C-alpha cells in the first residue's frame, strides 16, 4: 500500500504549485508577497482535504440501512471545502482579476426591453 504524504508536505507542494501557477499567469511579484499568507492558508486547507478524502462521509446503521449518520470527516470535509472555495475565489479575483466575460455590456443585445 502506498504511503501518503504528510499534511505539511502536501501543503508545501500545493503552495509551490499555486505560486508557480500565479507566476506563470503573470501576477506581479509584489501582489504575490502581499497574498503570500493567504496562499499558504489555502495550501494548508487543501492538505486537510487531501488527508480526509479517503474517510467515509456517511455511515449506515447495520440493522437499518435507511438510517444514515454523517461522520466527523464528512462535517470537516464540508467545512474545509467551503473555506477552500471561498479563499480561492478571493485569491483569483485579487490576483487574476475578473473573468473576461464578466461585463454585462454584451447582454444588452439579448434584452427584450431594448428591442
Amino acid at each position: 500500500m502506498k504511503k501518503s504524504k504528510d499534511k505539511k508536505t502536501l501543503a508545501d507542494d500545493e503552495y509551490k504549485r499555486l505560486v508557480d501557477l500565479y507566476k506563470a499567469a503573470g501576477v506581479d511579484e509584489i501582489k504575490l508577497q502581499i497574498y503570500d499568507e493567504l496562499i499558504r492558508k489555502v495550501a494548508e486547507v487543501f492538505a486537510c482535504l487531501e488527508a480526509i478524502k479517503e474517510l467515509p462521509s456517511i455511515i449506515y446503521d447495520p440493522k437499518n440501512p435507511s438510517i444514515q449518520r454523517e461522520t466527523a470527516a464528512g462535517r470537516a470535509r464540508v467545512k474545509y471545502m467551503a473555506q477552500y472555495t471561498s479563499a480561492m475565489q478571493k485569491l483569483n479575483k485579487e490576483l487574476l482579476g475578473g473573468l473576461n466575460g464578466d461585463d454585462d455590456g454584451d447582454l444588452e443585445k439579448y434584452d427584450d426591453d431594448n428591442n
Side-chain angles (χ1 to χ4, degrees):
M1 183 179 208
K2 185 176 102 174
K3 186 176 189 271
S4 63
K5 295 180 181 179
D6 67 331
K7 286 194 329 186
K8 180 169 179 9
T9 303
L10 281 169
D12 290 342
D13 290 348
E14 180 65 4
Y15 172 81
K16 183 180 178 339
R17 187 185 78 84
L18 288 172
V19 169
D20 289 346
L21 284 172
Y22 286 129
K23 284 181 181 178
V27 174
D28 184 56
E29 188 68 35
I30 294 172
K31 276 188 172 183
L32 282 174
Q33 290 175 8
I34 291 170
Y35 287 98
D36 183 71
E37 192 61 32
L38 184 56
I39 296 170
R40 171 64 60 192
K41 292 296 180 189
V42 167
E44 289 171 2
V45 171
F46 175 82
C48 290
L49 281 166
E50 286 295 302
I52 64 173
K53 75 179 182 182
E54 300 296 327
L55 298 174
S57 296
I58 296 173
I59 55 174
Y60 297 92
D61 185 338
K63 295 178 184 171
N64 186 355
S66 64
I67 298 176
Q68 314 172 18
R69 191 169 41 111
E70 186 177 29
T71 65
R75 288 187 296 276
R77 186 176 292 117
V78 170
K79 180 181 84 169
Y80 288 136
M81 187 54 80
Q83 290 174 355
Y84 179 80
T85 302
S86 175
M88 281 301 293
Q89 286 175 343
K90 178 169 180 51
L91 271 175
N92 290 338
K93 180 181 177 191
E94 295 299 324
L95 296 178
L96 301 175
L99 297 174
N100 291 336
D102 269 356
D103 60 59
D104 292 331
D106 293 339
L107 297 178
E108 289 178 6
K109 62 185 172 187
Y110 298 106
D111 190 5
D112 290 336
D113 294 338
N114 290 336
N115 293 332

